[in-house]
Amino acid sequence: MKITISVIKADVGGYVGHSAMHPALIEKAKENLEAAKNKGQLIDFWVMNCGDDLDLIMTHKGGVGEKGIHRLAWDTFMECTQVAKKLKLYGAGQDMLSDAFSGTIKGLGPGVAEMEFEERKSEPVLIFMADKTSPGAWNLPLFKIFGDPFNTAGLVIDPHMHGGFKFRILDILEGKQVTLSCPEELYDILVFLGAPSRYVIEAIYRKSDGEIAAVPSTQKLSLIAGRYVGKDDPVLIVRAQSGFPAVGEVLEPFAFPHLVEGWMRGSHHGPLMPVPFKNATPSRFDGPPRVVAAGFQLNNGKLEGPRDMFDDPSFDRARERANDIADYLRRHGPFEPHRLPLEAMEYTTLPEVRKKLEGRFEEVK
Ligand code: 13P
Ligand code: 13P
Ligand code: MG
Ligand code: MG
């Protein structure tokens, strides 16, 4: 049976500030998706949050980009925005950049990751959700999962994965994409993935049969809005086991809290800290950036789960290290490279401050 997983997310209001989610928003979203399930539009769903981002995890038979599913997500976010406004939550409707739905939720603000596949005999799926960062944050872990034999033993050992994976990479500035093959084009892949503010992974396929393996959200709010409206706070779907990387191989890269852009005012580099659901509450300097992982076993489209995959002492050291890195970076205050480079700051309110001082600059005599 062909199943579609759609993970659609938006920040429709923070509680308190940008730190977490008010339970009333989760309740409202659940109510809407339950109604859609009762009508037969959804097979199953799970609603949760990472920080101030509301995540709708939905399974159905409509395929990728199905208008009805996108409308359901859009209407749900709109109704949750009304709840957020009533409660005077912070930044109510923050990611809702349009007031009209036009057939797809893409380009309207919310983030979208979707994939359709034939459900296997057993289908473990991991859904990652991040707060206070942008889609490029997935480049390093995804490269390690699907391209690095020092991370993923299966690339060496498992004959079904030994052929490697194809990476479809998107240039978010030019709106172009390229598909490169790993391991043959490994060094070419890294030319792009190493520049995560511009190049992001759109999808990863198993080379031997073209099966879809991973799909992240790639939406960049600042490019849609032309100004800073909050960080993108991306999501990611990864299939695991039996010819894909094992669950533990998918989680392994997150034991290294790599530096990502985001954090305070979306304008700083900080470590990505893997946390259990209950700790997805970025508070110190609005961070440091967080990632949670929800594990599901699909059961004819039904979502058995979630398991809270980072709720495990084996990630304690990553969290400690992330706190050490946070201490170190914070000591730089407003200096780069803690603060993002000037090109990235163009979308923030910094240029307004600079403009005020324009008249004070003189030609060098
Ligand atoms: P405002 O307080 O002006 O909304 O901007 C700061 C912000 O939201 C970052 O936390
Ligand atoms: P969010 O993108 O999570 O709303 O964070 C915005 C921000 O400016 C935090 O300081
Ligand atoms: Mg917010
Ligand atoms: Mg957020």
Side-chain angles (χ1 to χ4, degrees):
M1 177 168 61
K2 276 217 164 183
I3 299 288
T4 309
I5 304 185
S6 300
V7 183
I8 309 188
K9 54 80 45 187
D11 176 346
V12 293
Y15 168 67
V16 170
H18 296 281
S19 66
M21 172 79 37
H22 194 287
L25 300 192
I26 301 267
E27 279 317 304
K28 179 73 206 158
K30 275 185 183 164
E31 192 185 300
N32 276 26
L33 299 197
E34 188 66 50
K37 188 176 166 181
N38 290 338
K39 277 194 310 195
Q41 188 182 13
L42 296 180
I43 304 174
D44 204 2
F45 69 89
W46 185 259
V47 177
M48 60 181 286
N49 72 294
C50 180
D52 60 1
D53 290 85
L54 182 60
D55 297 285
L56 313 178
I57 300 171
M58 300 171 284
T59 54
H60 55 93
K61 291 184 188 163
V64 168
E66 210 273 317
K67 195 172 165 182
I69 299 293
H70 281 215
R71 174 168 276 287
L72 171 65
W74 177 258
D75 290 346
T76 300
F77 292 141
M78 278 299 195
E79 287 170 39
C80 288
T81 298
Q82 290 315 314
V83 177
K85 281 187 174 157
K86 248 189 231 148
L87 294 168
K88 291 185 67 179
L89 298 181
Y90 198 71
Q94 178 179 287
D95 291 358
M96 309 302 278
L97 302 180
S98 163
D99 33 41
F101 178 78
S102 57
T104 171
I105 204 165
K106 284 194 172 176
L108 304 184
V112 186
E114 294 183 289
M115 56 163 77
E116 185 186 30
F117 51 78
E118 194 71 41
E119 188 177 304
R120 295 170 292 164
K121 200 166 80 193
S122 180
E123 185 71 60
V125 173
L126 296 171
I127 315 276
F128 294 89
M129 291 151 271
D131 190 30
K132 306 295 178 267
T133 188
S134 48
W138 304 130
N139 283 14
L140 186 146
L142 278 176
F143 173 74
K144 284 177 128 180
I145 297 164
F146 292 99
D148 179 3
F150 279 69
N151 180 88
T152 299
L155 291 169
V156 181
I157 295 171
D158 181 350
H160 301 290
M161 272 167 60
H162 197 82
F165 290 86
K166 279 190 175 167
F167 289 66
R168 195 165 83 219
I169 299 170
L170 174 69
D171 175 345
I172 44 181
L173 283 188
E174 301 249 322
K176 290 185 175 162
Q177 59 189 35
V178 60
T179 302
L180 297 170
S181 192
C182 199
E184 308 89 294
E185 297 178 296
L186 187 151
Y187 301 152
D188 299 310
I189 288 172
L190 288 174
V191 167
F192 302 109
L193 295 192
S197 57
R198 173 154 182 182
Y199 297 97
V200 300
I201 294 169
E202 256 198 315
I204 296 176
Y205 301 91
R206 185 164 56 199
K207 216 186 304 166
S208 58
D209 55 5
E211 268 295 297
I212 187 77
V215 176
S217 63
T218 57
Q219 284 72 30
K220 279 274 251 191
L221 283 166
S222 57
L223 293 183
I224 298 170
R227 65 191 156 87
Y228 177 67
V229 283
K231 259 318 187 215
D232 320 302
D233 303 336
V235 292
L236 163 67
I237 311 172
V238 184
R239 296 171 78 192
Q241 306 287 160
S242 304
F244 291 120
V247 167
E249 290 168 336
V250 177
L251 297 174
E252 173 65 11
F254 295 93
F256 167 60
H258 69 295
L259 289 184
V260 297
E261 65 170 56
W263 209 346
M264 174 54 71
R265 295 169 189 270
S267 306
H268 295 81
H269 285 118
L272 186 65
M273 184 189 268
V275 291
F277 300 163
K278 69 174 183 340
N279 290 339
T281 50
S283 44
R284 178 185 180 186
F285 199 55
D286 286 0
R290 305 290 153 109
V291 56
V292 296
F296 296 95
Q297 286 288 152
L298 285 194
N299 179 7
N300 300 313
K302 194 168 172 296
L303 292 158
E304 300 292 347
R307 275 218 61 234
D308 184 352
M309 305 308 290
F310 290 137
D311 188 9
D312 188 280
S314 60
F315 287 96
D316 283 352
R317 207 165 288 161
R319 295 187 268 266
E320 265 167 46
R321 190 181 271 189
N323 275 326
D324 287 342
I325 296 165
D327 282 339
Y328 172 81
L329 284 170
R330 282 302 303 126
R331 301 253 329 245
H332 293 77
F335 282 74
E336 297 177 9
H338 182 27
R339 196 175 75 189
L340 297 187
L342 278 182
E343 313 90 80
M345 298 299 290
E346 285 306 313
Y347 291 102
T348 71
T349 42
L350 187 74
E352 279 173 46
V353 182
R354 204 175 47 204
K355 209 163 173 195
K356 260 193 358 203
L357 297 170
E358 241 164 39
R360 303 269 298 275
F361 276 83
E362 300 169 9
E363 290 305 321
V364 178
K365 289 171 193 126

